Amino acid sequence: MENTIGVIDQINMYFKEAVLWPFALLGAIIVFAIAVEIINRRRRADAVDYYDATFRTELAGLYPHPTRWPEDLASHLRTRLPIMREAFEVLKGFIPQDQLRDYNIAWNKFYDFCRMNGVIDETQTGATSSAEVEHDPKQVFHQLVADLLAYTNQFKR
C-alpha cells in the first residue's frame, strides 16, 4: 500500500512541476482530430445520400422494377448519365482504396451498357453473365445498377 502511495505522490509532484503546454497541445490536437473525423463522416454520409438519391431518381421506372422501359435506352439516359457520373465522382473520394478498381469497373460496365442501348456481350457482364441474364437487357441493367449501389451499403449503418 505504501508503494502505491509513493507512486501516486511522485506522479502528483511531476504534474505540479512540469510544464503544461505539451498537454494542452495534445488536447488541442485530439479535439481537432475528432472535429475532422466528424466533418468527414458527415461529408461521406452526404455523398452516399446524394449518390443513392441521384441513381434512384434518374432511373425511376427502370430500377428496381422496370415499369417504364424505353424503346431506346441510350437516348433515354443520354441526359441522365452526366448527372449520375457526377454522383459517381463525388462518392469516389470515399471508396476505400482496395475497392476503387472494382468501383470504376462497375461504372464502366454500366456506362458501356447504357451507351450501347442494351446490346451486351460476355465480357461486359463479367460475373453477372449467365445464359438467361445475357438475353434480357432489363435483368442485366438491374444487375449493373445493383452492383453500383452496393458500394453505398458499406457506409449505411
Side-chain angles (χ1 to χ4, degrees), residues 23-86:
F23 298 110
L25 181 62
L26 180 62
I29 290 171
I30 290 172
V31 168
F32 180 75
I34 290 171
V36 167
E37 179 64 24
I38 290 170
I39 290 169
N40 281 340
R41 284 181 186 221
R42 184 70 240 158
R43 288 179 55 224
R44 183 173 45 241
D46 289 345
V48 167
D49 291 343
Y50 176 64
Y51 184 84
D52 273 345
T54 300
F55 270 78
R56 293 187 191 282
T57 301
E58 298 300 325
L59 300 177
L62 301 175
Y63 181 86
H65 304 289
T67 57
R68 293 179 294 168
W69 192 262
E71 291 293 321
D72 186 10
L73 183 65
S75 65
H76 179 74
L77 292 175
R78 188 168 290 125
T79 58
R80 291 167 174 83
L81 280 173
I83 298 167
M84 290 187 288
R85 176 68 182 203
E86 179 186 348

Side-chain angles (χ1 to χ4, degrees), residues 4 34 47 62 73 89 122 138 146 150:
T4 305
I34 290 171
L62 301 175
L73 183 65
E89 292 295 334
E122 194 171 306
K138 293 176 186 176

